[in-house]
Amino acid sequence: MSELHDIPTGQADPYLQVQPATPARRLTSEAEAIATARRLAAEFRREAIQRDRERRLPIAELDAFSQSGLWSIVVPREYGGLGASYRTVGEVFKLISAADGSLGQLPQNHFVVLAHIGFDASEEQKHFFFDLALSGARFGNAFSERSSKNVADFQTRIEPDGDGFVVSGQKFFSTGALLAHWIPIVAVDAEGRPQLAVVPRDTPGLKVINDWSSFGQRTTASGTVLIDQVRVPASRVVPIWKAFERPTAGGPISQFIQAAIDAGLARGALDDTLDYVRRHTRPWIDSGLEKASEDPYILQQLGDLQVRLRAAEAVLDLAADAIDLALREPSEDSVAEASIRTAEAKVLTTEVAILASNRLFELAGARSTLEEYGLDRHWRNARVHTLHDPVRWKYHILGNYLLNGVKPPRHPWN
């Protein structure tokens, strides 16, 4: 069981990963990527309940996931990658998240970092970081802060120091950092502009604390990162503020991945509902039926869930297409369209994830709440993950765009 505390001074960090043990696989097609995700999802599903119950970090599973080649599918073809479409990216995230919501979320920020490498890095940096990703290196996350005024009010600072920089601050919600090879840190410079300082996990002054205690997404290790005078070479600092000074798909990509995870959580809840009703649910006394699977009210509720999930996935595909277009032809209009389609998808995937994980118990019955089945993880995971970025503001930007033609503000949350 993973303990929720810091590593005692003087002891080795048991989670420290410096680099992949062997090079990752190179996937050759999007069909191969989806087939690989399906195979891994079947493997990850086997002990998902036990990992959640024990807060056992999915170390072996994560290694298999990143070594599969799936973590580099968005690396552009000109840099040796697959350059996969965002429909394929969404399908990969849905498949893994349906099997294990935490494993589905762990590569979330890794993919966002790769997108920003493409937008903002120099050619030398692109070759360096894309090669790392292709080799199987995992990028963690030290972006968000716990006590700032709002999500964009970063207190972590980056200052010039000789021929490089020094970074100091504290981060939370650091999904993937504990089990990463490299940790990208968002810090603001003297002009208040966000920079991305990417450092190896074993860099002096960097400490990752496994103190994530949320009731959901339990094994994402989304805890604290302490950054104490961490030195960073200039070659490892990427000016990510530039991605929002001009129209890029940076914001839609970040939100799209969140929505794909939620769609996967909904599918996982619906799949387990179907399985439980078939095998365990008893028909209601007044129905006169032999099997709960014949109950017309259960059938109606399941049909309703399927329609809502199918609609959410269809809009997610439209968002993926809009992102691909914004990547090929970036403009004010194409990026706004990508943000709007992604906001629509985020609304629908949030709603269906919460509905499916709640309705599971209504249809399965009281016995389904027993700990031995582990079905409560679906609601806990959906409730926690859908709190990323409030849907009430998605409705706002949608209405403002529709009625007044106001394009969404460009930032990582749109």
Side-chain angles (χ1 to χ4, degrees):
M1 179 175 180
S2 299
E3 297 179 354
L4 299 177
H5 57 61
D6 193 4
I7 307 302
T9 301
Q11 290 190 17
D13 183 343
Y15 306 117
L16 183 61
Q17 307 222 14
V18 179
Q19 61 184 14
T22 57
R25 182 180 171 193
R26 296 287 184 98
L27 298 171
T28 59
S29 70
E30 299 192 36
E32 184 184 16
I34 292 171
T36 299
R38 285 201 180 99
R39 174 180 58 79
L40 288 174
E43 296 174 8
F44 296 162
R45 188 175 289 111
R46 292 189 191 115
E47 294 189 2
I49 293 173
Q50 293 90 329
R51 287 193 298 271
D52 173 81
R53 183 178 295 144
E54 300 168 6
R55 287 188 181 270
R56 175 170 25 111
L57 295 176
I59 296 172
E61 292 81 6
L62 192 61
D63 283 342
F65 192 6
S66 57
Q67 289 295 103
S68 71
L70 288 171
W71 285 47
S72 63
I73 59 173
V74 294
V75 172
R77 288 185 178 275
E78 57 266 36
Y79 296 95
L82 184 58
S85 69
Y86 271 84
R87 281 203 183 206
T88 293
V89 172
E91 189 64 21
V92 168
F93 272 91
K94 285 190 294 180
L95 285 165
I96 302 299
S97 298
D100 184 319
S102 291
L103 272 165
Q105 187 184 343
L106 278 164
Q108 166 191 321
N109 294 294
H110 173 97
F111 275 70
V112 172
V113 168
L114 292 182
H116 278 281
I117 297 300
F119 296 138
D120 308 318
S122 67
E123 279 301 308
E124 182 183 1
Q125 289 174 324
K126 287 178 184 179
H127 283 284
F128 179 78
F129 288 120
F130 286 150
D131 282 350
L132 280 176
L134 289 166
S135 75
R138 296 191 292 264
F139 296 106
N141 148 39
F143 301 166
S144 298
E145 298 178 8
R146 191 171 191 170
S147 303
S148 54
K149 182 176 67 175
N150 59 53
V151 292
D153 181 33
F154 297 114
Q155 300 303 307
T156 301
R157 302 294 172 186
I158 182 168
E159 299 175 345
D161 184 59
D163 58 356
F165 295 87
V166 65
V167 182
S168 291
Q170 183 170 330
K171 300 290 186 174
F172 195 62
F173 305 112
S174 301
T175 304
L178 190 72
L179 303 175
H181 303 109
W182 289 72
I183 299 183
I185 304 166
V186 173
V188 292
D189 61 19
E191 298 177 53
R193 302 174 306 184
Q195 306 279 353
L196 191 69
V198 189
V199 297
R201 169 80 165 76
D202 62 347
T203 298
L206 190 69
K207 180 183 289 186
V208 183
I209 303 174
N210 185 19
D211 59 351
W212 178 243
S213 62
S214 173
F215 62 70
Q217 297 296 89
R218 287 178 170 178
T219 60
T220 56
S222 302
T224 300
V225 176
L226 302 179
I227 307 141
D228 182 15
Q229 297 289 301
V230 170
R231 285 191 50 78
V232 190
S235 61
R236 304 293 179 261
V237 176
V238 180
I240 58 170
W241 57 272
K242 291 184 177 181
F244 302 106
E245 292 291 303
R246 69 189 195 282
T248 71
I253 286 171
S254 179
Q255 291 296 293
F256 174 85
I257 293 171
Q258 304 275 22
I261 294 167
D262 292 336
L265 295 176
R267 174 56 65 187
L270 180 54
D271 286 346
D272 272 3
T273 302
L274 297 172
D275 179 68
Y276 190 95
V277 169
R278 290 186 186 114
R279 296 195 297 123
H280 299 298
T281 302
R282 297 182 295 179
W284 184 239
I285 188 173
D286 295 329
S287 70
L289 298 171
E290 291 296 318
K291 297 186 294 184
S293 58
E294 299 171 345
D295 186 322
Y297 299 109
I298 289 179
L299 296 177
Q300 184 275 331
Q301 295 281 294
L302 290 172
D304 176 72
L305 276 178
Q306 175 64 12
V307 168
R308 292 173 187 271
L309 179 55
R310 186 70 73 193
E313 291 180 326
V315 176
L316 192 69
D317 282 345
L318 294 178
D321 293 345
I323 289 171
D324 285 338
L325 177 60
L327 288 170
R328 290 194 305 272
E329 304 172 17
S331 69
E332 295 283 352
D333 288 339
S334 67
V335 168
E337 182 74 7
S339 289
I340 290 298
R341 295 291 161 258
T342 303
E344 292 170 344
K346 187 69 164 61
V347 167
L348 294 175
T349 58
T350 291
E351 290 178 350
V352 76
I354 294 171
L355 181 63
S357 57
N358 186 50
R359 193 170 286 176
L360 187 164
F361 301 103
E362 296 176 19
L363 303 183
R367 189 170 52 167
S368 67
T369 65
L370 296 180
E371 186 176 7
E372 65 192 82
Y373 297 114
L375 296 174
D376 60 303
R377 77 189 190 282
H378 292 297
W379 184 87
R380 289 186 286 99
N381 289 342
R383 182 62 281 179
V384 168
H385 190 265
T386 55
L387 295 175
H388 287 78
D389 318 309
V391 162
R392 61 187 179 274
W393 276 93
K394 304 301 183 192
Y395 284 110
H396 170 81
I397 66 171
L398 291 169
N400 209 15
Y401 183 75
L402 180 66
L403 182 62
N404 301 317
V406 176
K407 293 179 172 65
R410 287 201 301 266
H411 55 60
W413 303 276
N414 281 335

